[in-house]
Amino acid sequence: MKYYLIGDRELVLAFGLVGVEGTAAVTRDEALAAFDRVTGRTTGKNRMPDAGEKPKVLILTEEVSALLEHEVKEWQMGGKAPLIVEIPGIQGHLEGKKNLTDAIREAVGIQV
């Protein structure tokens, strides 16, 4: 399964060490350009070549996800691949974001 990361430069380098490609993005424009290229929302030479090359899981840092909130929600509601997964950035969780354990507790109603 192919993964792709859009986030901090340090995380892109770290994920690259285990074979996960990525793009460093700090501004909304950088993040949106990478998101459009990876998801195929854009046309032209900067687009991922075809469905076989397209990642199945797109990993976004919480910071990048916040920059692309509208686009991410729209993509998720469309139910298309790649699946979008948020992870904390290099600085940790953003204020007000739930971690995975808290989300499971809320959904299931029991402590894990």
Side-chain angles (χ1 to χ4, degrees):
M1 184 179 303
K2 188 170 179 183
Y3 298 87
Y4 198 90
L5 170 72
I6 303 173
D8 305 333
R9 183 178 64 85
E10 293 85 1
L11 283 177
V12 170
L13 291 172
F15 273 69
L17 292 174
V18 294
V20 176
E21 293 180 56
T23 299
V26 177
T27 66
R28 175 173 163 69
D29 290 338
E30 292 172 343
L32 185 58
F35 183 80
D36 286 346
R37 183 174 51 81
V38 172
T39 59
R41 288 177 13 128
T42 187
T43 57
K45 66 178 183 172
N46 290 331
R47 184 172 176 246
M48 288 278 184
D50 60 28
E53 300 274 332
K54 196 171 171 181
K56 301 295 184 209
V57 178
L58 174 58
I59 305 166
L60 303 177
T61 60
E62 290 175 347
E63 293 84 3
V64 168
S65 185
L67 292 173
L68 302 175
E69 186 173 357
H70 174 72
E71 290 81 5
V72 169
K73 282 183 182 176
E74 183 180 288
W75 187 262
Q76 289 173 327
M77 295 302 288
K80 300 178 251 179
L83 171 70
I84 296 176
V85 176
E86 286 184 29
I87 62 169
I90 201 79
Q91 302 299 325
H93 280 289
L94 289 180
E95 184 79 22
K97 286 278 190 177
K98 294 179 196 168
N99 62 30
L100 182 59
T101 305
D102 292 338
I104 291 171
R105 278 189 200 127
E106 186 177 303
V108 177
I110 60 173
Q111 276 196 334
V112 180

XYZ file of all heavy atoms in Angstrom:
852
model
N 0.851 -1.164 0.000
C 0.000 0.000 0.000
C 0.901 1.232 0.000
O 1.879 1.292 0.727
C -0.892 -0.004 1.236
C -1.872 1.140 1.230
S -2.994 1.196 2.647
C -3.773 -0.370 2.565
N 0.550 2.203 -0.806
C 1.359 3.404 -0.933
C 0.816 4.518 -0.046
O -0.385 4.759 0.009
C 1.373 3.849 -2.394
C 2.342 4.962 -2.663
C 2.488 5.198 -4.139
C 3.467 6.343 -4.358
N 3.609 6.661 -5.751
N 1.724 5.201 0.658
C 1.402 6.312 1.540
C 2.064 7.576 1.022
O 3.069 7.508 0.311
C 1.926 6.054 2.954
C 1.329 4.839 3.620
C 1.890 3.581 3.441
C 0.218 4.951 4.434
C 1.360 2.466 4.056
C -0.329 3.836 5.061
C 0.255 2.600 4.864
O -0.289 1.504 5.472
N 1.514 8.725 1.414
C 2.116 10.015 1.062
C 1.862 10.973 2.211
O 0.785 10.958 2.808
C 1.500 10.561 -0.232
C 2.332 11.637 -0.874
C 3.309 11.311 -1.798
C 2.154 12.976 -0.545
C 4.097 12.290 -2.381
C 2.930 13.961 -1.126
C 3.902 13.616 -2.047
O 4.682 14.581 -2.623
N 2.841 11.800 2.544
C 2.740 12.726 3.675
C 2.855 14.162 3.201
O 3.715 14.485 2.377
C 3.860 12.442 4.682
C 4.051 13.463 5.792
C 2.903 13.383 6.807
C 5.374 13.279 6.490
N 1.994 15.021 3.729
C 2.134 16.464 3.547
C 2.229 17.057 4.948
O 1.298 16.896 5.748
C 0.949 17.087 2.792
C 0.750 16.418 1.427
C 1.160 18.597 2.613
C -0.493 16.865 0.684
N 3.338 17.707 5.243
C 3.513 18.246 6.585
C 4.813 18.991 6.762
O 5.384 19.496 5.803
N 5.282 19.017 8.008
C 6.531 19.691 8.366
C 7.710 19.055 7.650
O 7.718 17.850 7.403
C 6.797 19.579 9.873
C 5.651 20.093 10.716
O 4.915 20.961 10.233
O 5.504 19.612 11.852
N 8.725 19.857 7.392
C 9.928 19.370 6.717
C 10.569 18.221 7.494
O 10.984 17.217 6.920
C 10.931 20.512 6.544
C 12.180 20.128 5.785
C 13.127 21.297 5.605
N 13.646 21.799 6.854
C 14.723 21.307 7.489
N 15.380 20.294 6.963
N 15.135 21.808 8.618
N 10.611 18.348 8.818
C 11.229 17.316 9.643
C 10.485 15.984 9.539
O 11.092 14.918 9.468
C 11.293 17.762 11.112
C 12.227 18.925 11.360
C 11.567 20.283 11.109
O 10.362 20.340 10.754
O 12.270 21.293 11.246
N 9.158 16.041 9.548
C 8.373 14.810 9.424
C 8.512 14.194 8.043
O 8.563 12.971 7.906
C 6.899 15.074 9.739
C 6.553 15.203 11.209
C 5.083 15.547 11.389
C 6.872 13.933 11.952
N 8.556 15.023 7.016
C 8.742 14.512 5.653
C 10.076 13.779 5.556
O 10.151 12.685 4.983
C 8.642 15.649 4.610
C 9.062 15.174 3.233
C 7.232 16.218 4.566
N 11.114 14.356 6.163
C 12.424 13.686 6.173
C 12.375 12.379 6.962
O 12.904 11.359 6.521
C 13.488 14.615 6.761
C 13.866 15.825 5.912
C 14.779 16.765 6.701
C 14.535 15.397 4.626
N 11.735 12.399 8.121
C 11.653 11.191 8.957
C 10.864 10.084 8.259
O 11.288 8.930 8.236
C 11.011 11.528 10.302
N 9.726 10.420 7.691
C 8.929 9.415 6.985
C 9.663 8.920 5.748
O 9.522 7.763 5.355
C 7.561 9.982 6.607
C 6.516 9.850 7.683
C 6.598 10.582 8.853
C 5.445 8.985 7.527
C 5.645 10.466 9.842
C 4.484 8.848 8.516
C 4.585 9.595 9.676
N 10.447 9.791 5.129
C 11.240 9.398 3.968
C 12.238 8.306 4.296
O 12.567 7.475 3.452
N 12.718 8.286 5.535
C 13.679 7.257 5.948
C 13.074 5.860 5.944
O 13.791 4.869 5.840
C 14.227 7.575 7.342
C 15.116 8.810 7.436
C 15.461 9.094 8.887
C 16.379 8.637 6.600
N 11.755 5.774 6.060
C 11.093 4.460 6.016
C 10.360 4.251 4.691
O 9.532 3.356 4.579
C 10.141 4.260 7.220
C 10.923 4.190 8.511
C 9.071 5.327 7.269
N 10.654 5.100 3.712
C 10.133 4.881 2.375
C 8.826 5.569 2.037
O 8.241 5.281 0.993
N 8.359 6.473 2.883
C 7.119 7.197 2.600
C 7.475 8.528 1.951
O 8.185 9.340 2.535
C 6.292 7.438 3.883
C 5.053 8.278 3.585
C 5.906 6.115 4.519
N 6.980 8.740 0.731
C 7.220 10.003 0.043
C 6.411 11.111 0.704
O 5.410 10.845 1.360
C 6.794 9.897 -1.425
C 7.622 8.966 -2.253
C 7.131 8.938 -3.684
O 7.064 10.016 -4.318
O 6.787 7.842 -4.140
N 6.845 12.350 0.478
C 6.110 13.450 1.063
C 6.511 14.788 0.501
O 7.468 14.902 -0.266
N 5.750 15.791 0.895
C 5.993 17.171 0.504
C 5.935 18.038 1.749
O 4.979 17.945 2.523
C 4.928 17.661 -0.497
O 4.986 16.856 -1.665
C 5.150 19.113 -0.875
N 6.954 18.879 1.927
C 6.941 19.824 3.034
C 6.075 21.013 2.632
O 6.191 21.535 1.522
C 8.355 20.284 3.348
N 5.196 21.417 3.535
C 4.301 22.536 3.271
C 4.131 23.357 4.536
O 3.803 22.814 5.589
C 2.954 22.040 2.779
N 4.362 24.652 4.411
C 4.205 25.558 5.540
C 3.020 26.494 5.310
O 2.266 26.772 6.226
C 5.500 26.374 5.766
C 5.324 27.364 6.895
C 6.669 25.448 6.037
N 2.851 26.938 4.074
C 1.779 27.877 3.750
C 0.586 27.140 3.145
O 0.701 25.992 2.706
C 2.256 28.929 2.731
O 2.528 28.275 1.485
C 3.495 29.652 3.223
N -0.551 27.809 3.114
C -1.752 27.235 2.508
C -1.527 26.931 1.026
O -1.947 25.893 0.534
C -2.951 28.165 2.690
C -4.178 27.653 1.957
C -5.433 28.446 2.255
N -6.483 28.214 1.294
C -7.165 27.089 1.134
N -6.894 26.048 1.895
N -8.103 26.977 0.225
N -0.857 27.834 0.325
C -0.616 27.623 -1.109
C 0.221 26.369 -1.364
O -0.081 25.586 -2.260
C 0.061 28.843 -1.732
C -0.863 30.040 -1.825
O -2.106 29.859 -1.802
O -0.347 31.171 -1.916
N 1.272 26.171 -0.565
C 2.106 24.974 -0.711
C 1.301 23.717 -0.397
O 1.381 22.722 -1.126
C 3.305 25.044 0.234
C 4.324 26.094 -0.104
C 5.382 26.257 0.972
O 5.177 25.811 2.114
O 6.438 26.839 0.642
N 0.530 23.772 0.680
C -0.269 22.610 1.086
C -1.333 22.286 0.047
O -1.547 21.124 -0.297
C -0.911 22.868 2.449
N -2.000 23.312 -0.469
C -3.057 23.100 -1.461
C -2.498 22.546 -2.763
O -3.088 21.641 -3.363
C -3.824 24.399 -1.716
C -5.027 24.306 -2.629
C -6.052 23.301 -2.087
C -5.675 25.671 -2.793
N -1.352 23.051 -3.190
C -0.733 22.535 -4.417
C -0.382 21.055 -4.265
O -0.649 20.246 -5.164
C 0.517 23.345 -4.755
N 0.183 20.678 -3.131
C 0.534 19.269 -2.890
C -0.725 18.413 -2.785
O -0.788 17.318 -3.349
C 1.367 19.147 -1.622
N -1.732 18.898 -2.081
C -2.996 18.164 -1.918
C -3.655 17.922 -3.275
O -4.082 16.807 -3.580
C -3.935 18.958 -1.002
C -5.236 18.271 -0.713
C -5.305 17.270 0.252
C -6.393 18.618 -1.394
C -6.514 16.636 0.536
C -7.602 17.995 -1.124
C -7.663 16.997 -0.159
N -3.724 18.964 -4.101
C -4.333 18.838 -5.429
C -3.569 17.846 -6.297
O -4.161 17.043 -7.008
C -4.394 20.198 -6.124
C -5.464 21.103 -5.546
O -6.338 20.611 -4.800
O -5.429 22.312 -5.844
N -2.251 17.884 -6.214
C -1.425 16.979 -7.032
C -1.617 15.527 -6.608
O -1.804 14.643 -7.436
C 0.046 17.384 -6.918
C 0.974 16.558 -7.773
C 2.391 17.090 -7.748
N 2.920 17.298 -6.413
C 3.428 16.338 -5.649
N 3.467 15.103 -6.077
N 3.901 16.609 -4.452
N -1.612 15.280 -5.316
C -1.699 13.910 -4.810
C -3.092 13.329 -5.016
O -3.239 12.155 -5.372
C -1.303 13.856 -3.317
C -1.567 12.488 -2.733
C 0.158 14.231 -3.155
N -4.126 14.129 -4.802
C -5.490 13.621 -4.931
C -5.971 13.592 -6.372
O -6.980 12.973 -6.669
C -6.475 14.467 -4.098
O -6.429 15.825 -4.544
C -6.171 14.360 -2.622
N -5.250 14.277 -7.265
C -5.674 14.315 -8.663
C -6.705 15.394 -8.940
O -7.348 15.382 -9.971
N -6.853 16.331 -8.003
C -7.811 17.420 -8.208
C -7.316 18.414 -9.246
O -8.047 19.280 -9.669
C -8.058 18.172 -6.893
C -8.871 17.399 -5.899
C -9.053 18.121 -4.579
N -8.692 19.504 -4.547
C -9.481 20.493 -4.111
N -10.681 20.225 -3.672
N -9.049 21.739 -4.083
N -6.082 18.310 -9.651
C -5.521 19.235 -10.620
C -5.164 18.481 -11.900
O -5.004 17.271 -11.887
C -4.272 19.935 -10.045
O -3.846 20.933 -10.954
C -3.140 18.975 -9.841
N -5.076 19.194 -12.964
C -4.654 18.589 -14.230
C -3.318 19.186 -14.632
O -2.921 20.227 -14.135
C -5.688 18.862 -15.345
O -5.860 20.280 -15.475
C -7.006 18.211 -15.019
N -2.639 18.516 -15.531
C -1.367 19.038 -16.004
C -0.203 18.156 -15.597
O -0.367 17.076 -15.039
N 0.998 18.669 -15.855
C 2.193 17.853 -15.661
C 2.551 17.606 -14.196
O 3.278 16.685 -13.893
C 3.377 18.482 -16.379
C 3.804 19.811 -15.802
C 4.996 20.345 -16.536
C 5.434 21.654 -15.871
N 6.661 22.139 -16.388
N 2.048 18.422 -13.263
C 2.385 18.240 -11.853
C 1.477 17.236 -11.155
O 1.581 17.025 -9.961
C 2.325 19.588 -11.118
C 3.443 20.490 -11.546
O 4.513 20.030 -11.933
N 3.209 21.774 -11.501
N 0.592 16.625 -11.873
C -0.357 15.675 -11.318
C 0.295 14.300 -11.165
O 1.204 13.958 -11.898
C -1.530 15.584 -12.296
C -2.637 14.728 -11.844
C -3.800 14.894 -12.808
N -4.808 13.979 -12.375
C -5.205 12.934 -13.066
N -4.729 12.711 -14.260
N -6.104 12.128 -12.593
N -0.173 13.515 -10.194
C 0.296 12.137 -10.062
C -0.065 11.406 -11.360
O -1.163 11.593 -11.876
C -0.376 11.432 -8.890
C 0.099 11.897 -7.545
S 1.631 11.059 -7.169
C 1.913 11.660 -5.538
N 0.800 10.565 -11.879
C 0.606 9.965 -13.199
C -0.705 9.220 -13.425
O -1.404 9.508 -14.368
C 1.793 9.032 -13.339
C 2.813 9.574 -12.425
C 2.073 10.223 -11.313
N -1.058 8.237 -12.616
C -2.302 7.500 -12.825
C -2.743 6.855 -11.522
O -2.074 6.961 -10.498
C -2.168 6.454 -13.935
C -1.097 5.418 -13.639
O -0.818 5.148 -12.457
O -0.544 4.871 -14.599
N -3.850 6.164 -11.566
C -4.415 5.564 -10.355
C -3.455 4.567 -9.705
O -3.444 4.408 -8.497
C -5.741 4.897 -10.673
N -2.656 3.878 -10.490
C -1.708 2.920 -9.945
C -0.600 3.591 -9.141
O -0.053 3.008 -8.220
N -0.260 4.817 -9.498
C 0.786 5.566 -8.811
C 0.235 6.352 -7.618
O 0.973 6.765 -6.749
C 1.426 6.559 -9.784
C 2.052 5.917 -10.984
C 3.468 5.490 -10.716
O 4.134 6.107 -9.871
O 3.898 4.516 -11.337
N -1.050 6.566 -7.606
C -1.690 7.378 -6.581
C -1.651 6.664 -5.230
O -1.935 5.475 -5.145
C -3.137 7.618 -7.004
C -3.851 8.706 -6.303
C -5.172 8.895 -7.027
C -6.091 9.797 -6.316
N -7.353 9.946 -7.011
N -1.300 7.388 -4.154
C -1.263 6.737 -2.842
C -2.657 6.348 -2.374
O -3.650 6.961 -2.754
C -0.660 7.813 -1.930
C -0.863 9.088 -2.635
C -0.917 8.790 -4.091
N -2.728 5.321 -1.550
C -4.009 4.875 -0.979
C -4.310 5.618 0.317
O -5.462 5.737 0.714
C -3.981 3.369 -0.703
C -3.726 2.543 -1.923
C -4.861 2.669 -2.900
C -4.599 1.743 -4.087
N -5.188 2.210 -5.305
N -3.247 6.095 1.000
C -3.412 6.821 2.257
C -2.612 8.116 2.173
O -1.415 8.101 1.891
C -2.924 5.988 3.465
C -3.065 6.781 4.754
C -3.685 4.675 3.552
N -3.290 9.229 2.412
C -2.653 10.538 2.444
C -2.584 10.972 3.901
O -3.611 11.116 4.560
C -3.448 11.547 1.623
C -2.974 12.995 1.666
C -1.523 13.116 1.201
C -3.879 13.872 0.815
N -1.372 11.149 4.400
C -1.156 11.545 5.791
C -0.934 13.049 5.819
O -0.050 13.566 5.132
C 0.073 10.820 6.383
C -0.078 9.306 6.237
C 0.290 11.229 7.832
C 1.205 8.538 6.474
N -1.749 13.740 6.606
C -1.615 15.187 6.777
C -1.315 15.478 8.234
O -1.906 14.869 9.125
C -2.911 15.911 6.405
C -3.480 15.717 5.008
C -4.791 16.470 4.879
C -2.500 16.183 3.955
N -0.424 16.433 8.479
C -0.260 16.879 9.856
C -1.488 17.711 10.222
O -2.200 18.212 9.342
C 1.014 17.723 10.035
O 0.939 18.871 9.207
C 2.262 16.912 9.741
N -1.741 17.847 11.511
C -2.895 18.632 11.958
C -2.808 20.068 11.466
O -3.825 20.680 11.131
C -2.987 18.602 13.485
C -3.380 17.247 14.018
C -3.360 17.165 15.534
O -2.814 18.084 16.197
O -3.889 16.179 16.075
N -1.592 20.618 11.393
C -1.411 21.989 10.912
C -1.823 22.120 9.454
O -2.530 23.055 9.083
C 0.050 22.436 11.081
C 0.507 22.581 12.513
C 0.973 21.280 13.155
O 1.009 20.234 12.475
O 1.283 21.306 14.347
N -1.400 21.175 8.626
C -1.770 21.198 7.210
C -3.271 20.974 7.055
O -3.931 21.648 6.265
C -0.967 20.148 6.406
C -1.541 19.947 5.020
C 0.491 20.556 6.330
N -3.818 20.066 7.815
C -5.249 19.804 7.762
C -6.053 21.051 8.122
O -7.088 21.330 7.519
C -5.606 18.653 8.692
O -6.964 18.326 8.566
N -5.556 21.817 9.096
C -6.233 23.064 9.470
C -6.164 24.089 8.342
O -7.121 24.834 8.111
C -5.614 23.640 10.737
N -5.049 24.111 7.606
C -4.920 25.032 6.468
C -5.872 24.660 5.336
O -6.322 25.516 4.584
C -3.477 25.018 5.932
C -2.390 25.594 6.813
C -1.024 25.327 6.192
C -2.604 27.083 7.030
N -6.172 23.371 5.212
C -6.994 22.865 4.103
C -8.331 22.322 4.594
O -8.877 21.393 4.010
C -6.243 21.747 3.380
C -4.882 22.091 2.802
C -4.230 20.859 2.226
C -4.999 23.180 1.757
N -8.860 22.891 5.646
C -10.054 22.341 6.301
C -11.203 22.087 5.316
O -11.784 21.009 5.296
C -10.514 23.282 7.414
C -11.635 22.723 8.231
C -11.956 23.605 9.427
O -11.265 24.614 9.653
O -12.913 23.265 10.133
N -11.523 23.068 4.488
C -12.643 22.922 3.543
C -12.376 21.813 2.523
O -13.227 20.958 2.279
C -12.906 24.249 2.835
C -13.938 24.156 1.763
N -15.273 23.989 2.042
C -13.827 24.156 0.415
C -15.948 23.911 0.904
N -15.089 24.007 -0.105
N -11.182 21.814 1.945
C -10.838 20.821 0.927
C -10.814 19.404 1.506
O -11.282 18.467 0.861
C -9.478 21.140 0.291
C -9.461 22.365 -0.587
C -9.342 23.677 0.175
O -9.170 23.655 1.409
O -9.421 24.732 -0.470
N -10.291 19.265 2.714
C -10.211 17.943 3.356
C -11.614 17.413 3.633
O -11.925 16.256 3.331
C -9.365 17.997 4.646
C -9.503 16.715 5.454
C -7.906 18.260 4.310
N -12.495 18.250 4.189
C -13.865 17.808 4.471
C -14.590 17.422 3.188
O -15.281 16.405 3.132
C -14.640 18.903 5.196
C -14.296 18.997 6.648
C -15.130 20.039 7.349
C -14.720 20.144 8.802
N -15.440 21.203 9.507
N -14.418 18.223 2.157
C -15.047 17.931 0.864
C -14.553 16.602 0.305
O -15.334 15.791 -0.185
C -14.725 19.070 -0.110
C -15.371 18.935 -1.457
C -14.991 20.108 -2.354
O -15.489 21.221 -2.107
O -14.184 19.891 -3.275
N -13.241 16.358 0.398
C -12.656 15.110 -0.100
C -13.184 13.919 0.685
O -13.555 12.896 0.119
C -11.134 15.178 -0.022
C -10.496 14.002 -0.678
C -10.036 12.872 -0.068
C -10.293 13.809 -2.073
N -9.544 11.998 -1.001
C -9.690 12.553 -2.242
C -10.539 14.582 -3.199
C -9.339 12.053 -3.487
C -10.187 14.086 -4.438
C -9.596 12.840 -4.571
N -13.229 14.034 2.013
C -13.692 12.936 2.847
C -15.170 12.637 2.602
O -15.570 11.476 2.621
C -13.452 13.254 4.328
C -11.985 13.212 4.688
C -11.707 13.684 6.102
O -12.387 14.558 6.622
N -10.687 13.118 6.718
N -15.967 13.653 2.398
C -17.390 13.447 2.144
C -17.623 12.783 0.789
O -18.619 12.092 0.597
C -18.148 14.778 2.205
C -18.143 15.417 3.593
S -18.841 14.373 4.868
C -20.550 14.446 4.453
N -16.683 12.953 -0.138
C -16.795 12.328 -1.448
C -16.488 10.844 -1.423
O -16.817 10.115 -2.360
N -15.830 10.376 -0.380
C -15.532 8.957 -0.233
C -14.566 8.409 -1.264
O -14.638 7.248 -1.639
N -13.652 9.250 -1.731
C -12.697 8.811 -2.746
C -11.352 8.475 -2.109
O -11.052 8.896 -1.003
C -12.494 9.925 -3.778
C -13.757 10.334 -4.507
C -13.472 11.468 -5.450
C -14.107 12.722 -4.890
N -13.900 13.896 -5.666
N -10.548 7.710 -2.838
C -9.178 7.425 -2.392
C -8.288 8.554 -2.891
O -8.544 9.090 -3.960
C -8.707 6.090 -2.955
N -7.312 8.953 -2.146
C -6.767 8.319 -0.961
C -7.532 8.671 0.318
O -8.145 9.725 0.422
C -5.345 8.880 -0.892
C -5.432 10.224 -1.510
C -6.474 10.082 -2.588
N -7.438 7.760 1.272
C -7.971 7.986 2.605
C -7.081 9.020 3.283
O -5.864 8.941 3.195
C -7.939 6.680 3.401
C -8.258 6.765 4.881
C -9.741 7.090 5.064
C -7.920 5.466 5.567
N -7.687 9.998 3.953
C -6.913 11.039 4.626
C -6.828 10.729 6.119
O -7.843 10.492 6.770
C -7.537 12.425 4.387
C -7.467 12.766 2.905
C -6.827 13.480 5.229
C -8.122 14.058 2.519
N -5.602 10.732 6.626
C -5.341 10.472 8.035
C -4.571 11.664 8.597
O -3.609 12.116 7.983
C -4.504 9.179 8.200
C -4.144 8.956 9.654
C -5.228 7.995 7.622
N -5.012 12.172 9.745
C -4.318 13.273 10.405
C -3.407 12.738 11.501
O -3.790 11.840 12.238
C -5.321 14.230 11.048
C -6.059 15.091 10.086
C -6.970 16.082 10.803
O -6.670 16.490 11.948
O -7.989 16.429 10.216
N -2.222 13.334 11.595
C -1.299 13.009 12.668
C -0.836 14.320 13.304
O -0.882 15.373 12.657
C -0.078 12.196 12.180
C 0.748 13.005 11.169
C -0.506 10.858 11.610
C 2.087 12.384 10.839
N -0.389 14.278 14.554
C 0.155 15.497 15.164
C 1.429 15.914 14.445
O 2.163 15.073 13.918
C 0.474 15.089 16.602
C -0.152 13.769 16.810
C -0.420 13.167 15.472
N 1.674 17.204 14.429
C 2.906 17.710 13.839
C 4.075 17.517 14.783
O 3.958 16.895 15.842
N 5.191 18.066 14.411
C 6.418 17.922 15.191
C 6.273 18.579 16.566
O 6.930 18.179 17.518
C 7.621 18.478 14.397
C 8.940 17.922 14.902
C 7.653 19.975 14.410
C 9.230 16.557 14.428
N 5.388 19.550 16.702
C 5.178 20.256 17.971
C 4.128 19.586 18.854
O 3.812 20.082 19.917
C 4.754 21.706 17.698
C 5.730 22.504 16.871
C 7.089 22.640 17.530
O 7.184 22.741 18.752
N 8.137 22.619 16.727
N 3.529 18.489 18.394
C 2.507 17.795 19.168
C 1.109 18.170 18.706
O 0.929 18.825 17.684
N 0.108 17.737 19.473
C -1.288 17.990 19.109
C -1.611 19.471 19.135
O -1.118 20.212 19.985
C -2.248 17.286 20.083
C -2.433 15.834 19.798
N -3.132 15.378 18.717
C -1.992 14.741 20.461
C -3.119 14.059 18.730
N -2.429 13.649 19.783
N -2.467 19.898 18.208
C -2.985 21.259 18.238
C -3.996 21.379 19.366
O -4.670 20.401 19.716
C -3.673 21.607 16.913
C -2.792 21.798 15.690
C -3.652 22.143 14.483
C -1.760 22.892 15.917
N -4.119 22.549 19.902
C -5.081 22.823 20.972
C -6.489 22.485 20.487
O -6.907 22.881 19.404
C -5.016 24.307 21.354
C -5.883 24.701 22.505
C -5.270 24.339 23.845
O -4.044 24.175 23.911
O -6.032 24.212 24.799
N -7.217 21.712 21.286
C -8.601 21.386 20.958
C -8.781 20.151 20.089
O -9.902 19.716 19.863
N -7.716 19.564 19.578
C -7.819 18.345 18.769
C -7.851 17.127 19.677
O -7.123 17.045 20.654
C -6.626 18.213 17.813
C -6.658 19.149 16.655
C -7.544 18.593 15.597
C -7.393 19.400 14.328
N -8.170 18.867 13.252
N -8.703 16.163 19.331
C -8.769 14.912 20.094
C -7.681 13.968 19.611
O -7.408 13.897 18.419
C -10.106 14.223 19.867
C -11.278 14.950 20.401
C -12.529 14.158 20.089
C -13.728 15.036 20.251
N -14.920 14.428 19.704
N -7.118 13.229 20.542
C -6.204 12.184 20.107
C -7.023 10.925 19.820
O -8.222 10.872 20.089
C -5.080 11.938 21.131
C -5.578 11.463 22.467
O -6.607 10.791 22.557
N -4.850 11.803 23.518
N -6.387 9.918 19.275
C -7.091 8.706 18.857
C -7.795 8.021 20.024
O -8.940 7.587 19.903
C -6.118 7.737 18.177
C -6.718 6.452 17.638
C -7.806 6.742 16.619
C -5.638 5.595 17.033
N -7.134 7.951 21.161
C -7.736 7.294 22.327
C -9.008 8.008 22.765
O -10.022 7.366 23.065
C -6.724 7.242 23.491
O -5.539 6.601 23.031
C -7.288 6.483 24.669
N -8.976 9.338 22.796
C -10.165 10.106 23.175
C -11.307 9.904 22.172
O -12.466 9.803 22.552
C -9.842 11.594 23.291
C -8.923 11.902 24.463
O -8.872 11.076 25.403
O -8.260 12.951 24.429
N -10.976 9.851 20.893
C -11.996 9.637 19.868
C -12.646 8.259 20.020
O -13.863 8.114 19.877
C -11.390 9.786 18.474
N -11.839 7.239 20.337
C -12.381 5.886 20.535
C -13.278 5.860 21.765
O -14.377 5.305 21.730
C -11.244 4.851 20.661
C -10.538 4.694 19.322
C -11.781 3.507 21.150
C -9.272 3.872 19.387
N -12.831 6.485 22.845
C -13.653 6.546 24.064
C -14.998 7.185 23.781
O -16.031 6.709 24.246
C -12.940 7.342 25.145
C -11.944 6.565 25.902
C -11.423 7.337 27.099
N -10.171 6.757 27.505
C -9.047 7.428 27.672
N -9.017 8.715 27.527
N -7.958 6.796 28.019
N -14.986 8.276 23.043
C -16.232 8.981 22.729
C -17.142 8.145 21.835
O -18.344 8.080 22.043
C -15.907 10.307 22.039
C -17.119 11.178 21.804
C -16.726 12.503 21.197
O -15.903 13.202 21.801
O -17.245 12.815 20.105
N -16.563 7.478 20.858
C -17.362 6.680 19.918
C -17.923 5.414 20.553
O -19.076 5.047 20.351
C -16.522 6.327 18.690
N -17.102 4.720 21.336
C -17.483 3.433 21.902
C -18.176 3.591 23.256
O -19.061 2.815 23.607
C -16.246 2.510 22.025
C -16.592 1.192 22.663
C -15.630 2.287 20.662
N -17.760 4.573 24.001
C -18.360 4.792 25.301
C -17.692 4.060 26.443
O -18.195 4.019 27.550
N -16.538 3.444 26.161
C -15.784 2.768 27.219
C -14.331 3.186 27.139
O -13.861 3.628 26.108
C -15.888 1.221 27.123
C -15.349 0.736 25.775
C -17.301 0.754 27.353
C -15.252 -0.762 25.669
N -13.635 3.012 28.251
C -12.211 3.316 28.251
C -11.412 2.120 27.768
O -11.718 0.989 28.099
C -11.745 3.706 29.648
C -11.982 5.141 29.956
C -11.183 5.578 31.170
O -10.860 4.768 32.018
N -10.888 6.853 31.232
N -10.412 2.414 26.957
C -9.542 1.369 26.427
C -8.246 1.369 27.187
O -7.683 2.353 27.463
C -9.268 1.599 24.922
C -8.369 0.531 24.371
C -10.559 1.659 24.168
